[in-house]
Structures are given as C-alpha cells and as structure tokens.
Amino acid sequence: MSDMNASLTYEVHAGDIEQGGSASAALKSELRKMGICEEQARRVGIIAFEGEMNLLLYATNGGTLKAEVTPEAIDITVEDDGPGIDDIDLAMRPGYSTAPDWALNLGFGAGMGLVNMKRNSNFFEIHSHTGKGTLIRCRVNRRKNDAAD
Amino acid sequence: MKFSDVPILLEGEILFDASAGNDVIDKAYAADLLSDVLALTEERTTLITGTISPQVIRVAEILNVIAIIFVRGKRPSQEIIDYAQRLDIPMLTTRKTMFETCGLLYANGVRPCKNRTADE
C-alpha cells in the first residue's frame, strides 16, 4: 500500500461533452500510478465519473472534482454553485432522472448516478440548497476487506 | 472464445485488434446506457453497445473493460479507436443487432458477467 498523501483537483466545465469523463479517467490513472489497488481505483473512478457527469450535465457553471489521498482513505469531493437539487430523496431514488434527451444520447441519464456514488462509497453525504449549489463527499477506505455494499 | 474468432461469428470488422494475452472473451454485458454499465456491472467484462459517445472508452477505462463490440453498424470516431489502442482494449463493429449479437455469443459459450439489477 502506498503511504503517500496527495491532492488532485479537476475543473469540470458545464456542457463540455467531448471532455466528459476525462477527469475521472485521469484520476484513476494517477491512483494506479500511486500504487492504489485496482478494486479501490475502480470504485473511486466510478464515483468520480458519476460526479463529473453530473457537473457536466446539470451544474450551471460546471464545478470541481477533488480527490484527497491518505494512507487511510481516498476522499472525493464534488462541488458546484448551482442550481441545487430540490428533493434529494427523490434524486437518490434509482431510475429517477431529470436528464435532457441529449444526455440520454450520450448513454447517460438513467437515474443511477447518485445511487452509484453511494454504493461505491464507505461514507457518502450530500448537501444541496436550491439556488446555491450541491456538495457531495464520498470516502473509499483503503483498508483491506473494506468493500462498499 | 477468442476475440479473433468473433468477427467471423458476427460478420464484423475489427477496429483495433487484441494484443497477445488479451484475447479471450468469456463474459459480457450489453447496454446502450453507460450509466447502467457503470452502476450494474461488478467485474471485468466485454461490453456490447450501440453507444459511440466519447464517454464509452472512458467508462471502459474505469471499469477495465476487456473488449468492446459495437452493434447495429455503429462505428466510433478515430479518436476513440486511438484511445482504445493506448489502453489495449480490442474493438470491433458488427451490423448485427444487439439481440442477435448476444444470442450468437451466448451460443458460443460467452456468459453474463457478474452484475446486479437497479433495485438491488
């Protein structure tokens, strides 16, 4: 296991379809170079990818994807400044989606994004205020035998 | 079965060939929704899809996809093919439907990858 600490930050631009997923792919690649095991890197990659696509598809001004790596865990933060989520319980329901048709054409908008972020996390929290923005924090533990559900 | 045998089976065209040691297809998952691929597959798999958005290869990278089979005559951009080459993920395209593609592969021993359903 790598003992290094690292902080990786990626800016995600609203509507930048061509680049969608590139930050998450780069993050996963960096984690593998640091010696993070494939299973944990895959989970972080999935969390990051879903967060990145949410920023690209829904956030008014895009947002920031950040990963903090410590020997104990990898903490992923996804943050934007709006529009915010009206009903978080509804947004967390598998299959619920407000995605536009163009997102569906890309293969996204199945209403699984937030659910999938939570499933792959050992810790998950979401805060959102309409008109102010959304903050999602996910943690993937680095201890062995600490898989998500 | 071997990836190199799939183009004959599916009357397909290889877009990027497998390298040595990356040539066996034994399980697969078929979906156009990449959201479902990300959420519902639980192990390395061959991906059968009609989606050719730039995200398909990035999802493949994150999930360590073994190979990609594009159906219904869909052909990804050269940028996606080049990206796949860098990752060593073999790709082919077939004019057959997803249904027929899955049926032919299943009949030749390919099985579903470990997966879950949306309500699990």
Side-chain angles (χ1 to χ4, degrees), chain A residues 40-55:
Chain A
Q40 290 165 358
R42 172 185 160 114
R43 283 168 54 200
V44 173
I46 291 170
I47 292 165
F49 199 105
E50 297 286 13
E52 182 180 356
M53 291 308 292
N54 280 352
L55 292 175

Side-chain angles (χ1 to χ4, degrees), chain B residues 5-71:
Chain B
D5 294 334
V6 178
I8 300 162
L9 179 70
L10 300 179
E11 298 172 15
E13 176 194 343
I14 286 184
L15 301 169
F16 165 62
D17 206 350
S19 63
N22 193 17
D23 191 32
V24 176
I25 291 179
D26 56 355
K27 51 203 163 196
Y29 191 84
D32 284 341
L33 273 174
L34 297 176
S35 294
D36 279 354
V37 180
L38 270 172
L40 305 178
T41 62
E42 295 188 306
E43 65 177 344
R44 294 191 70 194
T45 183
T46 296
L47 174 62
I48 302 165
T49 187
T51 298
I52 54 170
S53 70
Q55 283 70 41
V56 72
I57 191 63
R58 296 182 187 131
V59 167
E61 180 176 13
I62 283 166
L63 297 182
N64 282 333
V65 161
I66 295 164
I68 305 176
I69 298 172
F70 295 100
V71 296

Side-chain angles (χ1 to χ4, degrees), chain A residues 85-107:
Chain A
I85 300 170
D86 289 331
D87 186 336
I88 291 177
D89 289 340
L90 190 58
M92 291 297 299
R93 191 178 298 170
Y96 177 80
S97 176
T98 59
D101 285 346
W102 62 265
L104 294 170
N105 290 335
L106 294 175

